[in-house]
Amino acid sequence: MTEKIPLALLPGLLCDGALWEHQINGLSDIADCWVADFTTQDSSAAMVDHVLAAMPPRFALAGLSMGGYVALELMARAPERVERLALIDTRAQGDSEKATARRRGLIQLAQKGQFKGVTPRLLPLFILESRMDDEALTAAVMGMAERVGRDAFLSQQHAIMTRRDHRETLPGIAVPTLVLCGRQDALTPLADHEAMAAAIPDAELVVVEDCGHLAPLERPQPVTAAMRRWLQS
């Protein structure tokens, strides 16, 4: 019997293990999956510490959005721990001034008690607008945000705003790397993924059709299939 690959799954802002449910079940024959809990840390460094403390000496690493930022920070800090890397619906560059200002505005609203998680109005940022009538999908996205909650939202926004730009560290990544995104991702566009895949030696770029920002949840089958190929490469 082949030994399973330890796989750390790092969720995005306002996401939890539900994001990865299909991948956890669909890869269970080859991967021993663990989902990071990013509800208490307020920096990328602290999130990296959490992952490194939980995982064995060598493991595979996959991160979506904020989880991708953490994955890149971990690769820069402890590359010897990671045997393969998946960057999903994420980007290597830091926030623009405009993005930071927008995050500060959201933080101020949440601090005033006006935290509503992911509302129906915000859903098109996360999933395709044409999927808005998929009740199971929309309930899953809004349910994750509700469970993660306001305090974690504030900590996570701080971690995202203060993260490092990792464009210069990409060429040093020397493990099998999957770069995957939804073609219609509104938050981290395809162009960001094309740039990452071009900068990382021998990275594989996978584009999931008819898909927004939360690809593992929105189009689980092609994401799980791509991750299986990556884990077995």
Side-chain angles (χ1 to χ4, degrees):
M1 187 176 163
T2 317
E3 202 173 326
K4 292 184 183 182
I5 301 163
L7 172 59
L9 299 168
L10 314 188
L13 175 76
L14 290 177
C15 294
D16 61 18
L19 174 74
W20 302 107
E21 189 174 342
H22 190 277
Q23 291 72 45
I24 292 166
N25 294 329
L27 300 170
S28 62
D29 59 320
I30 59 168
D32 182 10
C33 296
W34 170 85
V35 179
D37 177 0
F38 288 153
T39 57
T40 60
Q41 310 90 348
D42 68 353
S43 70
S44 292
M47 290 173 174
V48 167
D49 290 341
H50 168 62
V51 179
L52 291 175
M55 295 306 290
R58 293 273 292 169
F59 59 95
L61 177 64
L64 176 135
S65 200
M66 177 185 73
Y69 311 152
V70 178
L72 286 171
E73 182 66 23
L74 193 154
M75 283 301 300
R77 247 179 67 186
E80 72 286 352
R81 296 284 302 272
V82 180
E83 61 179 49
R84 57 194 68 228
L85 173 68
L87 300 168
I88 301 173
D89 294 291
T90 189
R91 53 160 56 107
Q93 65 265 42
D95 269 2
S96 65
E97 286 181 21
K98 187 178 173 184
T100 299
R102 189 170 66 245
R103 289 190 200 282
R104 287 207 175 102
L106 291 169
I107 286 170
Q108 286 171 349
L109 283 174
Q111 285 171 333
K112 290 175 187 169
Q114 295 172 325
F115 174 75
K116 297 184 175 69
V118 176
T119 61
R121 192 173 59 83
L122 290 175
L123 276 171
L125 289 174
F126 296 95
I127 60 174
L128 270 190
E129 203 147 1
S130 61
R131 301 289 303 278
M132 290 286 284
D133 57 354
D134 182 333
E135 289 181 14
L137 177 61
T138 58
V141 177
M142 292 191 289
M144 286 195 298
E146 201 173 309
R147 288 190 297 274
V148 172
R150 187 192 78 138
D151 290 349
F153 171 77
L154 293 171
S155 298
Q156 290 175 356
Q157 288 285 23
H158 185 265
I160 292 169
M161 286 194 308
T162 56
R163 74 188 189 275
R164 284 200 290 165
D165 188 305
H166 276 289
R167 282 174 290 188
E168 288 186 5
T169 69
L170 297 178
I173 294 173
V175 296
T177 301
L178 168 68
V179 178
L180 181 147
C181 80
R183 186 173 291 281
Q184 289 81 17
D185 188 332
L187 290 175
T188 52
L190 175 57
D192 292 342
H193 297 81
E194 290 171 336
M196 284 193 295
I200 298 169
D202 301 319
E204 179 194 7
L205 176 66
V206 172
V207 182
V208 180
E209 301 298 336
D210 300 315
C211 184
H213 185 60
L214 298 180
L217 193 61
E218 190 175 355
R219 296 290 180 202
Q221 287 86 359
V223 174
T224 300
M227 290 181 71
R228 176 175 286 276
R229 290 195 305 273
W230 160 72
L231 286 169
Q232 294 180 323
S233 63

